[in-house]
Each structure stands twice: as structure tokens, then as C-alpha cells.
Amino acid sequence: MSVQIIIDSTVDLKPELLKEVKVAPLSILFGSEQFIDGKTLTKQEFYQKLVTSDVLPTTSQATPFIFSELYKETIDEGNEAVVITLSSKLSGTFQSANIASMDYEGKVYVVDSLNAAIGAGVLAEYALRLSKAITHKASLAGLNLGGGSLVIIGNNRTEKTEVLMRRVGKFIEGLNGNFIASIDVGTTQRDLEFIRSETKYVAGLPTSMNGG
């Protein structure tokens, strides 16, 4: 089992990385003309029409059905999915992805990028790199596990508190064993102790604390 990254078509990824993800296309309308982003209208064609068309384009969010089909395909392949979408402040695509995920609880995790285009693409590329790197680390350690990384964005000195670490622990507990926390860059034993107070899915603590 591995993690499949799914994005919507507004997420700007390098061409060579697009082969590694599944894409939920949005619809683009130029007046009465409707196109499927990335399928019936390429980026180059979009910019050409932007210059020649008398009307400005509008977009229609990817539907829950489109996401559901991608989720089913991913699950049938024996994988789980992490979905990265255009910011929820700009589109209803994040909501569509969430609605579709309700039928795949514990198998699909939807992330609001809070970005668009290149910004969301950076996040997707980072997710791809992490999934590969940490899977390789687990393999070298002889562990029959996939790889994952939990990233908390914030100021390490002022925002990393016991309350925050406990929230992380509750989140990990909700993943039902699909993620096990351990010490890594920016994480201390004290952080793990706070996390351990909310979940049993922690490794690297002393056995006296029921650590693994």
C-alpha cells in the first residue's frame, strides 16, 4: 500500500511530476464555450484564448462525482489518498473533495492548500517528496511500513505549546494507527510526551512511558 497524491487541475506542478499524481479537472467557460481544464483545453490554449476572446473566463469547481471516481480508482489499486486542492476561499473544490471523501473514511485525507496555482503546487511537490523519502527510510530500517510526515506550520519558539501537541495527538489518534509519531527534525521527547497523552500511536519514548 502506498499514498496516492490527488490534486485539482488548478494546482501548478512540473510536467514530470504530473505523471505521479491523479488530477480532478475543473471546467473553464469562455462565454458559452465550455472546456475541461487540462483535457480539452491546455494551458497554452487557455492563454491564447485569454488574449483573443471578447469575454473573460470563469471556472466551475470539480464535482464530488469526479473526486469520488478518483478515490475509488485509488482504493481499488490498494492505496490511500491525500488530496490537495485550491484554497477553499477561492473555490468550492475543497468542499467537493470533502463530500466525496465521506464514503472513504480512513482512506482519503483532504487538505486545503490555502493557495492557488504555484503556491498549491509547492505543497503538492513537497508531499510527493516526503512520501518517497520517508518510505525509503522505513525500507532501509527493515520496516514493513509506508512513509508519512506531519508538518505543523508556525513559529517553533512561540507557537509550539502543550495544547498544540495534544491537538496533534488527538489528530493522530483519529488516524487509527495509520500514522505513528516519532522524534524527527524539530520534534523533542517532551513533544512526544504531550502527544502520547492523547494517543498510543507513538514510538521512541522510554518503555516506562509505554513508548515503543
Side-chain angles (χ1 to χ4, degrees):
M1 182 183 71
S2 62
V3 175
Q4 174 67 60
I5 305 298
I6 298 175
I7 61 175
D8 67 61
S9 59
T10 68
V11 177
D12 198 350
L13 268 183
K14 298 173 184 176
E16 62 269 23
L17 294 179
L18 282 172
K19 297 180 290 185
E20 302 180 35
V21 302
K22 296 183 187 293
V23 182
L26 276 69
S27 295
I28 298 177
L29 292 90
F30 278 91
S32 60
E33 291 185 284
Q34 182 170 339
F35 303 91
I36 304 300
D37 188 19
K39 293 190 175 182
T40 60
L41 186 72
T42 65
K43 280 185 169 59
Q44 183 178 0
E45 290 169 338
F46 171 80
Y47 288 117
Q48 288 174 344
K49 290 189 72 67
L50 201 59
V51 172
T52 59
S53 176
D54 293 330
V55 295
L56 291 174
T58 58
T59 61
S60 177
Q61 68 196 49
T63 64
F65 176 77
I66 290 173
F67 280 107
S68 185
E69 289 292 289
L70 291 174
Y71 298 166
K72 183 179 185 304
E73 181 181 297
T74 298
I75 303 302
D76 288 348
E77 292 168 349
N79 300 322
E80 296 182 353
V82 170
V83 189
I84 299 173
T85 73
L86 172 68
S87 173
S88 60
K89 296 179 180 179
L90 301 174
S91 168
T93 298
F94 171 71
Q95 183 179 7
S96 291
N98 262 322
I99 291 171
S101 72
M102 292 178 182
D103 293 329
Y104 301 94
E105 187 174 354
K107 297 289 185 181
V108 175
Y109 307 94
V110 184
V111 178
D112 183 353
S113 74
L114 298 176
N115 273 281
I118 295 175
V122 169
L123 185 61
E125 183 175 348
Y126 185 57
L128 282 169
R129 283 197 290 115
L130 283 177
S131 66
K132 291 178 184 177
I134 299 176
T135 296
H136 292 162
K137 184 192 293 185
S139 178
L140 288 170
L143 301 174
N144 187 26
L145 298 170
S149 184
L150 191 155
V151 178
I152 303 170
I153 300 174
N155 188 308
N156 192 48
R157 294 182 177 179
T158 61
E159 297 181 62
K160 191 170 73 168
T161 63
E162 177 179 351
V163 172
L164 177 60
M165 291 299 105
R166 284 178 174 272
R167 287 177 180 171
V168 170
K170 289 179 180 178
F171 172 75
I172 292 172
E173 180 67 19
L175 297 178
N176 299 315
N178 287 308
F179 185 92
I180 299 173
S182 186
I183 291 178
D184 206 334
V185 177
T187 309
T188 66
Q189 179 174 316
R190 185 65 170 161
D191 296 333
L192 283 187
E193 291 172 5
F194 291 141
I195 292 171
R196 180 66 180 81
S197 65
E198 302 293 341
T199 180
K200 59 182 175 291
Y201 301 115
V202 175
L205 286 174
T207 54
S208 60
M209 297 187 63
N210 298 318

